[in-house]
Amino acid sequence: MVHVKDEVSGGADLAIGEVAALAGIATSAIRFYERHGLLEVPERVSGRRRYDSSVLRRLAMIQVGQDAGFTLAQIRTLLDGLSAQEAPSRQWRALAQDKLADVDALIVRAQAMRRLLEDGLACQCLSLEDRDDFLAACGDWAKAKKADESSRV
């Protein structure tokens, strides 16, 4: 996860290694994000990349998007759809709505798995197959998974 270690004054002229250290990521990740259009290719001074400190915020937003399960293409759309002067774009809103549905489905599956694990831990029987509430929890898990898979089609 990207963590900005120190406050950097606005407009600071940072080398790629400094950005990587401040963000807690590898320099190769920064170049990767540039190749995939998530970061603008910075100005070069004497052949070396020089970044404005605003790149740190963008890197943090990329990491949040990845942690939330967005693809790189979706993250690019989300970031490019955000503007201080305008409301979020229609495409940004559609992606956000779709992701909310994915998050809701994930919560349902996680709750079903939690019930399954809790019942398995509470069971004192030699075989979980003999335990009706465990089997019911398995059914809940299977239903949640099936519902999630059918919603993705």
Side-chain angles (χ1 to χ4, degrees):
M1 176 167 223
V2 175
H3 296 284
V4 179
K5 293 180 181 174
D6 298 309
E7 288 293 319
V8 178
S9 61
D13 187 33
L14 302 168
I16 191 169
E18 293 171 308
V19 171
L22 289 168
I25 61 173
T27 56
S28 59
I30 295 169
R31 290 188 292 271
F32 176 85
Y33 293 146
E34 289 173 4
R35 281 193 309 276
H36 287 83
L38 293 163
L39 293 177
E40 290 183 23
V41 177
E43 177 183 334
R44 290 182 180 256
V45 177
S46 300
R48 295 176 182 243
R49 292 172 168 89
R50 302 306 291 183
Y51 295 87
D52 183 90
S53 61
S54 64
V55 73
L56 297 170
R57 180 176 170 88
R58 182 117 174 156
L59 285 167
M61 293 184 340
I62 291 167
Q63 187 63 51
V64 168
Q66 287 180 314
D67 289 347
F70 285 96
T71 66
L72 294 180
Q74 290 171 329
I75 293 169
R76 185 175 41 254
T77 299
L78 289 171
L79 292 176
D80 292 345
L82 295 176
S83 168
Q85 293 78 28
E86 301 174 8
S89 70
R90 187 173 302 143
Q91 190 173 15
W92 184 94
R93 287 179 178 277
L95 279 173
Q97 281 299 124
D98 287 347
K99 188 50 70 177
L100 283 175
D102 291 346
V103 169
D104 289 341
L106 178 61
I107 290 168
V108 169
R109 287 193 326 270
Q111 289 171 335
M113 178 54 80
R114 180 182 188 95
R115 286 189 303 275
L116 182 71
L117 293 172
E118 287 172 342
D119 194 60
L121 288 171
C123 183
Q124 299 296 319
C125 27
L126 296 176
S127 170
L128 292 177
E129 293 173 354
D130 296 333
R131 180 88 183 202
D132 289 338
D133 48 349
F134 182 77
L135 294 174
C138 287
D140 289 347
W141 166 253
K143 287 177 197 170
K145 187 171 183 193
K146 186 174 182 174
D148 179 49
E149 288 170 355
S150 67
S151 71
R152 292 180 187 216
V153 176

